[in-house]
């Protein structure tokens, strides 16, 4: 089986990856607020359903809806894997988020970035140079320093916090499987077509579990937050999927590892402006140093020149 080849437009890939980082960085705060009034299944179902309809309208207006011949040429197994594991990722992340905190959830979910990066090296034969491996080491050291504080929280935390963290870690593995399948699917389908099928499939998966009636009793604020979460899904995953078309998976994974930094900054800002929405997170100097090392390592990996294995 031939493997997907990048377009080589790395600047576009970098820009799309950074957009993904921004949107995924602020998403946990919006989800935390939404989960105050809705259950996990309904939120997931709504995000996928709205994303599917909006993307279908956009592609329909532009005359770019996937044709039957294209769907037949695509790998049905890979589409099923991508759909199933993205749905699992959403479910586990949302369940974990409800039991922990936005910053903790966003840091733990970044295990998916490391798994995606190593998957790109192994499956798609991407290769790092020496200084990029140094960047990987720096980024891992940064995570260890940050996790030092999180591990202390886990040791002293109640059972639900530990369970939530475990579910998010499992969700990270599920997301990495989805992302690798998504990249290979670019061989036969465009990224919008792939996401349209995945959005629709995931919406169907969660339809039996959704409590649709609960949407009609939402106030304007929470309804607006719910729509923001849906639009975030549409734009962020669209940008991520397209970035894989133009850039190596190992580079994209390094950039999206920056999402926790955006989350931390967002939590601080929101806790000052509207403390009732999310409680403030308290981080030590060591944790902040670790976050800085994650940024440094990520930049070294993403901007360094890499080769393909012969």
């Amino acid at each position: 089986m031939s493997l997907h080849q990048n377009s080589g437009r790395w600047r576009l890939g970098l820009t799309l990856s950074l957009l993904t980082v921004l949107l995924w960085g602020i998403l946990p705060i919006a989800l935390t607020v939404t989960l105050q009034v809705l259950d996990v299944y309904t939120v997931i179902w709504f995000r996928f359903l709205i994303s599917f309809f909006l993307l279908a309208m956009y592609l329909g207006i532009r005359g770019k809806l996937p044709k039957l011949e294209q769907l037949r040429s695509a790998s049905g197994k890979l589409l099923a894997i991508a759909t199933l594991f993205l749905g699992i990722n959403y479910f586990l992340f949302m369940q974990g988020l409800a039991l922990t905190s936005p910053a903790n959830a966003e840091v733990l979910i970044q295990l998916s970035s490391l798994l995606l990066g190593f998957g790109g090296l192994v499956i798609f034969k991407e290769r790092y140079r020496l200084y990029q491996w140094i960047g990987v080491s720096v980024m891992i050291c940064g995570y260890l320093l940050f996790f030092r504080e999180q591990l202390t929280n886990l040791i002293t935390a109640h059972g639900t916090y530990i369970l939530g963290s475990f579910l998010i870690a499992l969700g990270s593995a599920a997301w990495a499987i989805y992302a690798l399948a998504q990249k290979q699917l670019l061989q036969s389908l465009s990224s919008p077509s792939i996401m349209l099928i995945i959005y629709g499939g995931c919406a169907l998966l969660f339809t039996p579990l959704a409590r649709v009636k609960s949407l009609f009793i939402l106030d304007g604020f929470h309804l607006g937050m719910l729509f923001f979460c849906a639009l975030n899904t549409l734009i962020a995953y669209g940008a991520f999927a397209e970035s894989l078309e133009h850039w190596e998976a190992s580079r994209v994974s390094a950039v999206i590892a920056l999402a926790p930094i955006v989350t931390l900054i967002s939590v601080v800002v929101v806790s000052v402006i509207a403390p009732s929405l999310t409680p403030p997170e308290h981080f030590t100097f060591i944790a902040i140093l670790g976050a800085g090392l994650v940024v440094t390592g990520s930049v070294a990996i993403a901007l360094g020149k890499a080769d393909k294995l012969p």
Side-chain angles (χ1 to χ4, degrees):
M1 180 179 67
S2 62
L3 297 175
H4 174 259
Q5 301 295 318
N6 307 303
S7 71
R9 300 172 65 189
W10 69 269
R11 290 181 180 83
L12 179 57
L14 172 60
T15 301
L16 292 168
S17 300
L18 289 173
L19 175 59
T20 304
V21 165
L22 174 63
L23 292 173
W24 281 350
I26 60 179
L27 178 62
I29 298 175
L31 288 175
T32 299
V33 174
T34 306
L35 286 173
Q36 295 172 355
V37 293
L38 288 175
D39 64 282
V40 168
Y41 307 109
T42 304
V43 173
I44 296 174
W45 169 78
F46 185 86
R47 292 171 66 191
F48 280 127
L49 185 68
I50 295 300
S51 297
F52 171 78
F53 278 118
L54 290 178
L55 184 56
M57 289 174 57
Y58 172 76
L59 293 178
I61 292 172
R62 299 191 64 186
K64 292 187 176 181
L65 284 169
K67 296 180 174 56
L68 186 59
E69 295 77 16
Q70 292 175 302
L71 296 178
R72 286 174 178 171
S73 65
S75 171
K77 290 182 180 179
L78 274 180
L79 276 172
I81 289 172
T83 302
L84 178 62
F85 278 91
L86 183 60
I88 292 173
N89 163 259
Y90 265 58
F91 171 74
L92 292 176
F93 179 78
M94 293 288 289
Q95 290 281 15
L97 178 63
L99 299 175
T100 59
S101 66
N104 183 67
E106 189 59 36
V107 170
L108 285 173
I109 199 66
Q110 292 312 308
L111 293 171
S112 60
S113 301
L114 293 175
L115 294 174
L116 172 60
F118 288 124
L121 297 175
V122 174
I123 297 175
F124 293 100
K125 310 302 181 185
E126 299 165 7
R127 188 172 66 177
Y128 286 157
R129 295 190 175 187
L130 176 60
Y131 59 86
Q132 289 175 296
W133 280 114
I134 294 174
V136 171
S137 302
V138 170
M139 187 167 67
I140 292 176
C141 287
Y143 272 123
L144 290 175
L145 288 176
F146 191 92
F147 280 135
R148 178 177 177 272
E149 183 174 353
Q150 299 301 317
L151 288 173
T152 302
N153 291 339
L154 287 176
I155 293 171
T156 59
H158 46 77
T160 55
Y161 194 92
I162 296 173
L163 175 61
S165 298
F166 177 70
L167 292 176
I168 293 171
L170 285 181
S172 299
W175 186 88
I177 294 172
Y178 144 75
L180 292 169
Q182 155 85 48
K183 184 168 178 63
Q184 182 58 24
L185 282 167
L186 292 168
Q187 279 278 89
S188 52
L189 286 171
S190 67
S191 57
S193 297
I194 296 169
M195 294 315 302
L196 180 69
I197 296 167
I198 291 176
Y199 290 151
C202 287
L204 286 175
L205 285 176
F206 286 96
T207 296
L209 303 173
R211 299 176 181 175
V212 181
K213 291 182 179 179
S214 62
L215 298 176
F216 296 99
I217 60 174
L218 292 179
D219 57 41
F221 173 72
H222 286 98
L223 185 61
M225 294 297 282
L226 182 61
F227 269 101
F228 171 79
C229 291
L231 291 175
N232 190 298
T233 296
L234 174 64
I235 300 171
Y237 269 92
F240 169 74
E242 189 65 19
S243 69
L244 291 174
E245 173 69 30
H246 305 294
W247 217 15
E248 293 94 339
S250 53
R251 309 292 195 88
V252 174
S253 71
V255 174
I256 61 177
L258 300 176
I261 311 302
V262 177
T263 302
L264 296 181
I265 296 172
S266 301
V267 167
V268 171
V269 173
V270 172
S271 64
V272 171
I273 298 174
S276 61
L277 292 182
T278 180
E281 298 271 0
H282 301 286
F283 298 100
T284 63
F285 172 77
I286 297 228
I288 295 172
L289 176 62
L293 290 177
V294 170
V295 173
T296 303
S298 176
V299 170
I301 298 168
L303 299 184
K305 183 179 180 181
D307 301 317
K308 288 274 187 176
L309 287 174

